[in-house]
Amino acid sequence: MGAGGWPARQALAAALLAACAAGAPAQSVERGRQLYETRCGACHSVDANRVGPMHQGVLGRRAGSVPGFDYSPALAHAGFRWDRARLLAWLTDPEALVPGQKMGYRLEQAQDREDVVAYLATLK
């Protein structure tokens, strides 16, 4: 086979996959903290309920279970625990994850969501 044949295409595909994997942005806890403070902090805090519930210990917590916070019936009865995948889905489109919930905000950029979730995972 010539220079543009199957083995060359396989090598190119392998190189592209390796480049994509190497170039994939890693989660940044510090960037996530900064995004949290600028994009989420108007309604949420780490250790106090505001317009939204506090986020200390959110990863692994049952949805709709922070004491003293007035959840929508939809979120109070969501019946799941917050894991990384659900937090990413929530920040992508809360209404798609839990129809009838009250949060009207989302993070448009996937990297922003990844970084905020990486930060939230540190809030033990």
Side-chain angles (χ1 to χ4, degrees):
M1 242 182 233
W6 181 246
R9 289 184 190 152
Q10 281 184 316
L12 176 60
L16 288 172
L17 287 173
C20 288
Q27 297 172 356
S28 168
V29 171
E30 177 54 25
R31 185 171 179 276
R33 185 193 61 77
Q34 292 171 3
L35 285 166
Y36 180 85
E37 292 190 8
T38 60
R39 308 276 298 275
C40 310
C43 296
H44 292 276
S45 104
V46 170
D47 55 7
N49 293 331
R50 292 184 177 166
V51 173
M54 69 176 184
H55 283 139
Q56 187 80 39
V58 66
L59 196 67
R61 183 171 67 211
R62 189 172 56 80
S65 67
V66 171
F69 186 78
D70 183 26
Y71 288 97
S72 66
L75 196 54
H77 297 100
F80 62 79
R81 291 192 178 273
W82 292 110
D83 58 17
R84 183 180 171 280
R86 283 200 172 95
L87 287 169
L88 289 170
W90 177 261
L91 293 173
T92 301
D93 186 351
E95 189 62 19
L97 182 64
V98 182
Q101 56 74 43
K102 295 193 282 190
M103 188 166 107
Y105 187 77
R106 64 175 75 177
L107 293 175
E108 297 294 330
Q109 301 298 315
Q111 188 61 55
D112 291 353
R113 293 189 296 270
E114 290 281 350
D115 292 346
V116 168
V117 170
Y119 171 64
L120 291 173
T122 69
L123 304 176
K124 308 264 185 219

